[in-house]
Every structure is written in C-alpha cells, then in structure tokens.
Amino acid sequence: MNPDRCFGGSLLVLIGMFTNVLGAFIGINIGTDVSSMPSASEVVSIIKTHRITHVRLYDADSHMLKALADSGIEVTVGVTNEEVLGIGESASAAAAWVNKNVASYVPSTNITAIAVGSEVLTSIPHAAPILVTAMNNLHKALVASNLNFQVKVSSPQSLDIIPELFPPSTAAFNSSPNSTLYQLLQFLNNTNSYFMLNAYPYYGYTNGNGIFPIDYALFKPLPSVKQIVDPNTLFHYNSMFDAMVDATYYSMDALNFSGIPIVVTETGWPWQGGPNEPDATVENAGTFINYLIRRVSNDSGPPSRPNIPINTYIYELFNEDKRPGPVSEKNWGVLYTNGTAVFPLSLSGSSQIMGNATTVFCVAKDDASEGKLQDGLNWACGQGQANCSVIQSGQPCYLPNNTKNHASYAYNDYYQRMHTVGATCDFGGTATITSNDPSYRSCIFTGSSNSSAREGLLPPGAFGPVSPLGESMKLLVSKVRYVISAACLLIILL
C-alpha cells in the first residue's frame, strides 16, 4: 500500500471520526437592514471574536462570502423570495445562481447549505407551487458541480404551517399528501437534507393569551405542578422551544416522514418593544438567549427524538433598525454594531461571558499596511520574543493564514507579558487596544485587566532585526505520520 495514499485516506477517516463526535452548534443569522452596517470584514472579525462557527446569510452577498473565506465558518447562503420564481422556472437560471454564488467561492468559503426563500409557504403563497421545483433545480446544479454532498438544499418554514402545536403528539401540517409541503419533505428525504424551521417562543407566548407561563417560553425551570405534559405520550416539556420542535417532528410523522432531522434556522427574543410589547425587554432577551445556548449545547433533542441534537441559528446578530413594523421588530440583535453585547452573552456555549468586558487585548489594526504588519510581526517574533509557535502551520492559530491574524496573536502575546514594565500596544502604529476577545475555536488570546491597559514608557520604536517566525513543525508532523502509519497497519491487518 502506498504510504502517502494511506496517510491521506486515514486522515479522512480520522476527520470523519472527529466530525461525528462534534456536538450541536449555535449559529447566527446576519440581516442587513441596518442603518450603520459594519463592513463585511468587520462583521467577520466580530463573528470570530465571539467564536461563532455557523452563520446564515439571507442572500449571497459577495462581500460577505469573500470576507468569510479561509475562516472555517460554515455558511448557509440564501435564495431571496424574489429569486425563487425565476430559479423555479428555469434550470439554467438555477445553474447560473449556483455557479455565481456557491461554486465560485468554495472551498475557500465553507458554504454548506442553500436556504431557498424565507417562509415561502406562508409569506408568498403564490410562489409555493414552484418552490420544490426551484429546490430541485438548485440540487441538480450542485450535482453538476460535484457539490451536492457538501451543500444541502432546504427551505425555512414558519410554524404557521402547523395549526395546533399542543399537544405536540397530535400536531399536523395544514396540508394534504399532494401538497407542496409533502413534495418538499420528499425532496429533503431523497437528498438527505434537513427541515429548516423558524421557531419563536416569543410569539408563542405573546399570542397565547396567557395559556402558558412566561418561564416556559424563557427556558426557566418550572416547578413540578406547572410542568407541561403531553397527555398522550406523558412527555414532559421543560420549554416551549422543545415543544415547537417536537410538534414539527410529529407533523412529519403524520405524513410518514420520520428520518428528516430539524435545524432551527431562526429563534430569538426582542430586547426592546413599544408600549404594547411589555415582554420585549433586555432581561427577557438575555435569559432566553443564554438558556437557549445552554439547552442546545447539551447535545440532546426534544422528548420524541432525544438523540438528535437541535442545531440552532439565533435571530440575529445586529438590530435591523430599518425593518418596518412594531418596535420589537427592530430589536432582535444580540450585539451592537461595534461588536459589544447587548446583554451578558456566551455565544460559543463556553463559560466565557461577553458583556461589559473586563479584559483587553492588543491586536493589529484593520487599516494597517501589509508591509508594516510584516515588520511588526517579525519584530514581535524576533526581538520581542513573543511565543509564535502557535501561528505555525498545523497549530491552533495558524488559520486564517494571513499577516494580520498572525500579527494580532504575536502583538498580543508580547503586550500581555511586557505591558506591566512599560511596553505599549503600538508596533509602529499598526496595533490597537480592544476589549473584544479575538479568540476563536482553540486559538486562545490572553487578556489583561482594563486597569493595566494604559500607555507605557517603552514603545517598540524601531523594530529589531528581521527574524523568521520559527522552524516548521517537523516533530509534530512526524508524530502525526507515526499515528496514521499505525492506523494504516491496523487497516491492512484487518
């Protein structure tokens, strides 16, 4: 057996093993009806700061897709409601859409799904008869581009397609076996895709006329006497969110589709409302979002599907203040456009809370020139004696592989060790202090107290001699090859 071929094949096996053990994810929707929308690169920087691994775009904005390149973030791109009819009427239009908005960006941009329209069956019912045709046309275009295994096609739907949500066990779609929805489920089943569901306990509660307690909508623990029990299954529902997801599973069961998983493409809670919207408060929004993250992160499903995690996208990243409608419609964002959190927040599901930050970091400026950043990076890794081993190939902070990212880590490492003796965060004018944690995934930046974030007396004025970032990680690669060689031997013996 060719060792290199075995190395590659075994690596894929190992990647598959690690992928299978990854837990449920929390993603976020990025709307653009924002009067002061940050640039695409700034949005991606904010996303990475908060360690968000999945995003959903409502369109296929080229600036965002380019900015997301090499970030590793999984991206769902959207076909707008205005585009659905054209794509449904023309296979060539679908192929052109895929070529322009998907094929031209992968693999650099990690596009993994296409969301066809937004609540088409209820928001633009005149387009419903052509929805599944549009989905089929897009899927065929993905097949032609050999992307159908990487990119799934689905269509987010509102819970309005289920007339009665409680009890979940008796829920059923408002449709017949010959309906568009039935055809949609057939498509999802045939293509191994998933059902995209927009589920809002906020509306379930506010439109429920006091039937359910607000704690049930906010994921707060309920005393045993107030727990919600399905009388048919005797399943206990600790949250309206779980009941909504289960009602959708039972509705699919009623049409004999039991193997299609659900991904919640939208859920959230507004943090500000008008005089007639008393439940839209910062406290309620913070409670809902943080309990939601905790709920999804425990990797379990609703009572009827306990082993299927509920992957979920929060609605939304920023307030879309340009949207029409009541005050609450404009106030669903969990972050301000400068990247700070509206309420204490841990989007990654970790114990780190993103609120009024008490730590600061030294990072490269967005507008710094490539040449000056390289000089600063060389100085930090050389004369500055920053720990630059973690920005080597294969290490946690190597990707994204660009000068700005590497410089930020090196600058911060130097600053955190030396600022107490007077060093500054300057590096020839290419660095700045921030309270936004730039850590992402397993690349962890050390922070320091705000009280220490003062300008010191020893700026690194003239950079020292240019020095390499370090030797290649030969020892690490050697160890990895040894492990995989052992795996190859095991495969051969088996």
Side-chain angles (χ1 to χ4, degrees):
M1 178 180 287
N2 185 316
D4 289 330
R5 181 177 299 175
C6 183
F7 181 88
S10 298
L11 184 58
L12 290 175
V13 171
L14 290 174
I15 290 173
M17 289 169 60
F18 284 114
T19 300
N20 289 336
V21 300
L22 293 177
F25 67 78
I26 282 284
I28 201 148
N29 290 274
I30 304 176
T32 56
D33 284 339
V34 182
S35 57
S36 300
M37 187 72 181
S39 69
S41 60
E42 289 171 332
V43 172
V44 173
S45 177
I46 289 170
I47 291 168
K48 290 163 59 179
T49 295
H50 289 274
R51 307 185 199 182
I52 297 167
T53 59
H54 295 70
V55 300
R56 176 186 168 211
L57 310 179
Y58 288 98
D59 52 19
D61 180 77
S62 60
H63 299 291
M64 280 298 303
L65 291 174
K66 289 176 183 176
L68 285 161
D70 301 319
S71 67
I73 296 168
E74 293 196 22
V75 183
T76 294
V77 293
V79 172
T80 65
N81 284 351
E82 292 75 19
E83 295 174 309
V84 171
L85 282 174
I87 290 174
E89 292 170 349
S90 170
S92 61
W97 194 95
V98 167
N99 287 333
K100 176 184 177 182
N101 300 308
V102 179
S104 62
Y105 294 101
V106 297
S108 296
T109 303
N110 189 18
I111 299 173
T112 57
I114 299 174
V116 184
S118 177
E119 302 182 352
V120 170
L121 299 184
T122 51
S123 62
I124 50 169
H126 67 277
I130 208 166
L131 173 61
V132 179
T133 303
M135 296 171 70
N136 265 308
N137 287 344
L138 290 166
H139 178 71
K140 290 175 182 176
L142 291 171
V143 171
S145 299
N146 198 31
L147 292 172
N148 54 301
F149 291 106
Q150 174 182 339
V151 184
K152 296 300 181 183
V153 178
S154 188
S155 180
Q157 300 303 325
S158 162
L159 275 169
D160 290 340
I161 59 177
I162 304 175
E164 297 292 337
L165 293 171
F166 193 85
S169 60
T170 61
F173 293 125
N174 186 17
S175 60
S176 67
N178 296 320
S179 67
T180 297
L181 184 57
Y182 186 85
Q183 297 168 22
L184 187 151
L185 293 172
Q186 280 185 315
F187 171 85
L188 299 179
N189 189 61
N190 293 340
T191 61
N192 294 315
S193 189
Y194 48 87
F195 190 93
M196 292 181 170
L197 175 68
N198 293 347
Y200 287 98
Y202 172 75
Y203 292 121
Y205 171 72
T206 56
N207 296 332
N209 298 316
I211 296 175
F212 299 107
I214 191 170
D215 287 354
Y216 177 58
L218 292 174
F219 292 96
K220 286 186 176 181
L222 294 171
S224 57
V225 294
K226 291 187 176 181
Q227 289 182 0
I228 310 301
V229 181
D230 187 315
N232 302 309
T233 61
L234 299 183
F235 285 147
H236 287 240
Y237 289 91
N238 297 320
S239 72
M240 187 180 291
F241 178 80
D242 278 70
M244 288 175 164
V245 173
D246 239 359
T248 309
Y249 273 124
Y250 279 113
S251 296
M252 288 194 285
D253 289 344
L255 291 177
N256 296 316
F257 292 98
S258 58
I260 302 172
I262 291 171
V263 170
V264 176
T265 37
E266 290 181 20
T267 193
W269 197 282
W271 56 267
Q272 185 175 340
N276 298 322
E277 300 173 303
D279 302 300
T281 66
V282 171
E283 181 181 0
N284 285 346
T287 298
F288 179 86
I289 294 297
N290 282 295
Y291 269 118
L292 169 73
I293 294 169
R294 187 182 306 175
R295 165 68 189 90
V296 173
S297 299
N298 71 17
D299 292 340
S300 66
S304 79
R305 304 291 198 282
N307 297 320
I308 303 178
I310 311 174
N311 293 325
T312 299
Y313 291 82
I314 294 170
Y315 182 83
E316 61 186 328
L317 187 64
F318 304 128
N319 280 346
E320 292 188 273
D321 58 319
K322 294 165 64 176
R323 289 179 64 86
V327 175
S328 63
E329 189 67 22
K330 310 171 190 293
N331 290 282
W332 293 77
V334 297
L335 301 180
Y336 296 109
T337 52
N338 65 1
T340 60
V342 174
F343 39 76
L345 177 67
S346 176
L347 284 171
S348 65
S350 69
S351 59
Q352 182 177 2
I353 299 297
M354 300 290 188
N356 296 321
T358 58
T359 55
V360 295
F361 308 85
C362 177
V363 297
K365 288 183 177 178
D366 288 337
D367 59 353
S369 70
E370 182 81 3
K372 286 188 175 181
L373 282 175
Q374 188 63 59
D375 288 341
L377 176 60
N378 291 336
W379 188 93
C381 292
Q383 184 177 334
Q385 298 183 354
N387 174 19
C388 294
S389 63
V390 294
I391 56 177
Q392 306 302 303
S393 178
Q395 295 304 296
C397 301
Y398 176 69
L399 294 175
N401 180 20
N402 58 61
T403 306
K404 178 177 178 293
N405 181 68
H406 291 174
S408 286
Y409 187 88
Y411 286 2
N412 188 68
D413 183 78
Y414 168 82
Y415 176 77
Q416 302 301 345
R417 290 186 294 103
M418 302 298 293
H419 72 89
T420 55
V421 294
T424 65
C425 177
D426 181 74
F427 293 90
T430 64
T432 185
I433 289 290
T434 179
S435 60
N436 292 325
D437 186 351
S439 303
Y440 56 95
R441 296 198 176 181
S442 57
C443 180
I444 307 301
F445 283 58
T446 302
S448 59
S449 170
N450 277 330
S451 60
S452 300
R454 60 186 185 276
E455 290 300 312
L457 303 174
L458 303 174
F463 295 124
V466 175
S467 62
L469 297 183
E471 296 296 323
S472 62
M473 306 302 292
K474 293 181 180 178
L475 180 59
L476 174 64
V477 172
S478 175
K479 289 181 178 179
V480 171
R481 291 188 69 94
Y482 174 81
V483 171
I484 292 180
S485 296
C488 288
L489 178 61
L490 181 59
I491 291 171
I492 294 171
L493 292 176
L494 293 176

